[in-house]
Amino acid sequence: MGCAAPPRSPRPFPSSAAPARSCCVVDAQGLLKSALAARCDSLLATDRHPRAVQAARERVRAESNVRVAQLTVPGQWPEGTFDLIVVSEFGYYLTPAEVGGMGRNIRASLS
């Protein structure tokens, strides 16, 4: 009988890391968004599922620098440019063509 590994907690950002002006997290679920909110002047978190978007909005309602948007990536992509873009593990559900398209979107959106 095996046992599951305990959940890993997110690693803290080094205090020497420069804060980013604009960040985007694709997939609003997840703890990384909370850690990034403190390191970014503005943070856009996206998810395709309405319930995930609503839950994320409730979690960050006190954080004025965070916006949450419902987008179906990679078909929809946030407008603007970002210093940092984080894509969650949902990428393994994408086809190779979708991964390539998302890579082009990421490249075009980095400032």
Side-chain angles (χ1 to χ4, degrees), residues 23-86:
C23 304
C24 177
V25 176
V26 179
D27 186 6
Q29 294 294 319
L31 300 174
L32 185 59
K33 171 188 46 51
S34 297
L36 282 174
R39 302 290 303 166
C40 300
D41 290 342
S42 68
L43 173 66
L44 171 63
T46 71
D47 202 296
R48 68 185 212 133
H49 297 288
R51 281 190 285 182
V53 169
Q54 184 59 36
R57 284 181 177 148
E58 290 171 13
R59 279 195 306 273
V60 299
R61 75 174 148 246
E63 301 185 48
S64 62
N65 63 324
V66 180
R67 288 184 307 120
V68 181
Q70 184 177 345
L71 296 174
T72 302
V73 172
Q76 297 174 308
W77 192 256
E79 293 184 16
T81 58
F82 305 94
D83 297 317
L84 174 69
I85 299 173
V86 177

